[in-house]
Amino acid sequence: GILLLVLDAPRRVPLTWAALCLLALAALAWAVTGDRSWLAPLDDLGRDAQQWAASIHWLESVLRVVEVALGTTAMWIYALVLVGVSLLRGHPRAAVFSVLVLASTPLINSSLKALLGRERPEWQNLLHFHSTMSFPSGHASQTTALAGVLSVLAALYLRRTNLRRLVHAVAV
């Protein structure tokens, strides 16, 4: 309706993709809250991948570095650096945008975990190391939020096309 008349064509494309991603998330959330017997093979792929990675000693160390680098504490450090750089460069709206997105992501994620209540696969939690639900992934949601913020800020503030493309490629 009226929204299509107001939006220019370039904005329709990303908004359409955003809506499709939201629908995909809703479909996946619906799938994990019901009978999950058909998801068991996907969970088993994760177990197989974990066993494969654990069998290669140097890879296990690399994956641990990645896990820490994309963990909650690291994400807050990245967010603070991003906000600080935005403020130092004279972009207070970018700083506020970054804080809003990166601070709301764990809140939304925790709410979705509580709402959906998908238990972790048994193989993943043998030592009861994790006390939270498994879906949606905190690491994935925080990393996606940071990548999204960086992409938006790159599109707004980077004038060099090659640098902007590099940020988008790394974010994806």
Side-chain angles (χ1 to χ4, degrees), residues 153-166:
L153 296 181
L156 292 173
Y157 297 115
L158 292 180
R159 292 185 180 159
R160 292 179 42 201
T161 304
N162 290 340
L163 187 56
R164 192 170 50 243
R165 287 180 181 157
L166 177 64

Side-chain angles (χ1 to χ4, degrees), residues 104-120:
S104 66
T105 299
L107 298 173
I108 293 168
N109 192 64
S110 297
S111 299
L112 285 172
K113 282 186 180 202
L115 178 70
L116 299 173
R118 183 172 198 268
E119 297 287 334
R120 293 181 182 276

Side-chain angles (χ1 to χ4, degrees), residues 72-121:
T72 304
T73 303
M75 286 297 157
W76 281 109
I77 292 169
Y78 303 148
L80 289 174
V81 169
L82 185 59
V83 168
V85 168
S86 295
L87 290 173
L88 285 174
R89 304 266 324 202
H91 302 295
R93 290 189 334 179
V96 170
F97 169 73
S98 301
V99 167
L100 288 176
V101 170
L102 297 172
S104 66
T105 299
L107 298 173
I108 293 168
N109 192 64
S110 297
S111 299
L112 285 172
K113 282 186 180 202
L115 178 70
L116 299 173
R118 183 172 198 268
E119 297 287 334
R120 293 181 182 276

